[in-house]
Amino acid sequence: MKKTTASLCLLISIASAPALAERNPADPYEGYNRTVSKFNDKADKYVLSPVARGYRKVTPKPVRTGVSNFFNNLRDVVSFGSNVLRLDVKRASEDLVRVGINTTFGLGGLIDVAGAGGVPSNKNTLGDTFASWGWKNSNYFVVPILGPSTVRDTVGNAVTTVYPVKNAVFHTSAGRWGTTGLQAINTREELLDLTDSLEGAAIDKYSYTRDLYMKVRTQQTGGTLPQSEDDNIDIDDLVDSNTTSEPVAAPQSTPEEIPDTANPQTLYQTPSENP
């Protein structure tokens, strides 16, 4: 019972430590990222989230699904180009088939006919292409309004932002800006359930979001996350050290029966450096 209580106390103390007390090696721009994250939270609270909730309330589910399918069809075009650059013939072929089927038989992409037929949805980006070329590990970076990203993915997204696929479909400024706004609202609506769960679950929303995003993105690109000192803490060792440090009655034994005092164990190991 004592050990369980001590473990819980140690876990709570580590989780509730000041956010800046131990910097994450994958987040060297934490000061900037936290500032932008706070700005994004304010913009989301007063603008994006209310609009997205209103959009969900007044727009029927089938219509929202059709909007999502349309923009996903455009993402498949980007994915096709990315996989061509990666020389991944299999995935590029799958993306091309998806675009062809959904554009032709899915009313311009409003219906995901290819998905219903079992054609894989890759949704690769230029960031994935850069990772396949060797840029697997990249630092965390928060983009104004857009949110969590990495330096690598931000560079890739900048290219597709300057040269968006939708420009081949919409030739007027009104059409391009209108679809940009619709895509932003639709994407935010799709993330409402996830962000609502983060609000109640995270002690430090910024750190929780960063760690979750980086873990998922690193798995997708085949990279490795740099270790921080907290990753090397052994809770059992800490508890054992804490409990054995309490004063106990000396046993009645001969001097040769008294065990030697163990050398103190190191609580932290030297973190490996990010290559």
Side-chain angles (χ1 to χ4, degrees):
M1 181 65 183
K2 264 188 183 180
K3 191 167 184 177
T4 302
T5 305
S7 298
L8 290 174
C9 291
L10 284 167
L11 286 172
I12 293 172
S13 64
I14 291 172
S16 60
L20 296 178
E22 179 62 40
R23 290 189 176 278
N24 189 309
D27 189 10
Y29 321 119
E30 185 170 350
Y32 160 83
N33 286 335
R34 282 187 178 272
T35 300
V36 175
S37 184
K38 288 180 181 178
F39 169 79
N40 288 351
D41 287 344
K42 292 293 184 183
D44 183 72
K45 179 179 180 180
Y46 295 109
V47 181
L48 295 177
S49 183
V51 172
R53 294 182 192 281
Y55 171 72
R56 171 181 284 186
K57 185 175 182 180
V58 303
T59 308
K61 176 64 175 177
V63 176
R64 300 200 307 271
T65 300
V67 172
S68 297
N69 289 340
F70 174 80
F71 289 115
N72 282 333
N73 194 44
L74 297 182
R75 288 179 61 194
D76 286 332
V77 177
V78 176
S79 184
F80 168 74
S82 299
N83 285 318
V84 168
L85 292 175
R86 299 170 67 181
L87 302 180
D88 191 332
V89 178
K90 178 179 179 296
R91 291 185 178 181
S93 300
E94 292 168 349
D95 294 332
L96 185 60
V97 169
R98 283 187 61 86
V99 172
I101 292 177
N102 288 338
T103 302
T104 305
F105 302 104
L107 303 179
L110 295 177
I111 303 174
D112 187 8
V113 179
V119 181
S121 178
N122 298 313
K123 299 297 184 291
N124 293 118
T125 66
L126 282 180
D128 297 305
T129 300
F130 294 153
S132 70
W133 289 350
W135 192 359
K136 292 186 180 297
N137 299 324
S138 184
N139 293 322
Y140 185 65
F141 188 78
V142 181
V143 183
I145 303 298
L146 300 180
S149 185
T150 63
V151 175
R152 177 197 58 234
D153 293 338
T154 301
V155 173
N157 291 336
V159 176
T160 54
T161 299
V162 175
Y163 303 102
V165 176
K166 65 184 177 182
N167 283 4
V169 181
F170 302 97
H171 303 287
T172 65
S173 297
R176 292 173 180 176
W177 283 108
T179 52
T180 298
L182 178 59
Q183 184 176 13
I185 295 171
N186 185 74
T187 301
R188 184 65 187 90
E189 186 275 330
E190 292 177 331
L191 296 173
L192 280 176
D193 296 334
L194 174 62
T195 54
D196 287 347
S197 66
L198 288 177
E199 290 289 347
I203 297 175
D204 180 1
K205 182 183 175 183
Y206 170 83
S207 297
Y208 188 87
T209 303
R210 175 196 62 200
D211 295 344
L212 179 62
Y213 179 86
M214 290 298 290
K215 182 178 181 180
V216 172
R217 196 69 183 106
T218 300
Q219 290 177 344
Q220 290 174 340
T221 58
T224 55
L225 287 173
Q227 284 188 323
S228 63
E229 292 184 351
D230 286 345
D231 295 332
N232 297 312
I233 295 177
D234 190 325
I235 296 299
D236 290 333
D237 286 347
L238 285 175
V239 173
D240 290 339
S241 298
N242 186 46
T243 54
T244 56
S245 63
E246 296 177 359
V248 294
Q252 297 296 326
S253 60
T254 59
E256 56 271 17
E257 293 176 342
I258 300 177
D260 293 334
T261 303
N263 293 327
Q265 305 235 339
T266 305
L267 297 184
Y268 298 97
Q269 299 175 2
T270 303
S272 60
E273 295 181 357
N274 185 16

